[in-house]
Amino acid sequence: MSRLAAMPDDHKRPQRYGVTRAQIARAQRLRREGDWLGACHACGIEVAIDPGIVAERADLADDLRHLVPDLLRWHALRLQRHPARTDWRLKWTAYGARAVTSLARYGEDALYLTGWPDRAPARFALRFGRPPDGHETTTLAGLRELWDDRQAGNLAARCGGGTSLPFFTADGRPGSGPASPVERVVRLFNDFRPDDAWRAAGVEPELTDRIRGWHDTLRPFDAPAAPQALAAARRTGADVVWAHAGEREYFWFDRLDTAAPRLSVVDSRWLRRHPAVELPLTELFWPADFVDLMAGRLGPRDLHPMVAAALFPALPGPEDCGPPPLPPPAPVRVACAEEWHVLEHRDGVLSAPHPPEYLEREAALLALRGPRPTGCAAALLFWRGVLARAPRELREVQELHRELLARVAAGEADTLEAMLDAGLDPHCRSAGSGTLLHLLPGLVPDEAALRLLPRLLAAGLDPDAEDRRGVTPRAAAGEPGANRALAAALRALPRPP
């Protein structure tokens, strides 16, 4: 059973895509060689900062020197699903600002990260200046361990760790050393004793029954993370701090100079009458890595190497850690009519022991509202996006399809190339999401898309095929933030008569 069995579903969605072991190794090698801009490029981060400003600002230059692009990418992608962004009650705070993240403050200016449109969600731009008004909803100003190599080792402290991470030994094995306050809080929380959990975390709760009910629904943060919230509140140096708790409600921490600060929930009228320091929502949560480790969704060796080294100081060979690669497509046995057939990806085709006209006939029958296809036909039509959902018995095909499209959409060029080398049929298409050609603009780095374009065209993918919105790959490549060289290459292709 997960140690976080009582956590809400929205906290259980790990972002495991968008960065590969090869990409991390490439970025770290470039950074060691002194090519910091090359390391950023390898991670899909465009540095849009005037070199003249960097030369004038010693503090900014020092921070850029210690910024680790692959570590920033790892955390930035996971922050896209941060509860501060996904909580439906907080949508108003993130309106139009989903992809702006402040890293450090310099008076009124900031070093901040912006994202591209939905077509390229895994591509970023690093900027300096005053963030656009109304856009800054996520700040990492107090969380330098997520991008600064000087403080990367502080990640364990944010998880309540001392000599080892709660619920783990220092070498990454499940287990407990000396009793950890965090472990006690989690156990109380999972035993449905929320008030006792808050008090064990060092907070005196004054919550209404309705607020207590948030323990069983989506809420800004949990009692197990209260030590994290309390530490963040005390770091401000203020006597009273507040944080968003909903559309019109706010968490209110006071008595911070006592052994048991008080936590209550107030409304906007109270907040107007009692000014206090705002606490960034990002500082009220455990790091996503720790949550995923405790829930069993990630193992120590699945983490970014610097994250693994910070959380597990005795882990052997942390430099070899990283997101697990997608395994090559394996043959799948399918019950087709009264026989068992084997489907396998070979030489760019998902093969089945049927004549070529078989698939066309089944697709035509489906279009004429004929019987729902089964067996080989269902697998082939699902892979090509004709069927929205694969039958339950084709779960292996469905899982490979989902995982591949998710990783490619998150920019994993390495994964797509490796799968094509393994014989993958590139005609995969989810219902409405377009082809792999539609996803090329979001691949990282830029040159990977140019390498893959002729390969996908040779396989028969159509640059003028429309997705559900009527957008073609040619049009998708021309959207803001996309790869200009790729857009030019697609525009140069001959159009059908």
Side-chain angles (χ1 to χ4, degrees), residues 156-305:
R158 286 196 61 232
C159 306
T163 57
S164 63
L165 204 64
F167 295 106
F168 291 91
T169 61
D171 61 357
R173 290 176 292 122
S176 300
S180 163
V182 171
E183 294 181 16
R184 182 164 179 262
V185 172
V186 172
R187 291 190 178 100
L188 288 169
F189 181 76
N190 284 343
D191 287 342
F192 301 99
R193 298 167 58 188
D195 282 4
D196 291 339
W198 286 108
R199 294 189 180 95
V203 177
E204 183 61 36
E206 289 191 1
L207 306 177
T208 65
D209 290 341
R210 184 174 67 86
I211 301 301
R212 287 190 180 91
W214 290 356
H215 287 285
D216 299 318
T217 59
L218 184 63
R219 66 281 194 198
F221 72 101
D222 297 296
Q228 163 71 14
L230 189 56
R234 284 174 166 154
R235 277 199 303 271
T236 65
D239 297 327
V240 180
V241 298
W242 63 270
H244 286 286
E247 292 186 10
R248 300 179 183 84
E249 297 163 316
Y250 304 86
F251 284 114
W252 183 266
F253 288 92
D254 60 3
R255 301 194 311 214
L256 291 175
D257 56 345
T258 67
R262 180 171 57 187
L263 171 65
S264 53
V265 174
V266 300
D267 60 21
S268 56
R269 291 172 300 176
W270 173 277
L271 199 63
R272 285 195 296 269
R273 293 195 303 266
H274 303 80
V277 174
E278 180 182 3
L279 191 63
L281 278 170
T282 45
E283 298 201 32
L284 295 183
F285 296 85
W286 273 328
D289 299 310
F290 182 39
V291 175
D292 288 340
L293 284 166
M294 289 208 297
R297 294 187 294 273
L298 292 178
R301 307 207 70 84
D302 298 333
L303 300 170
H304 184 285

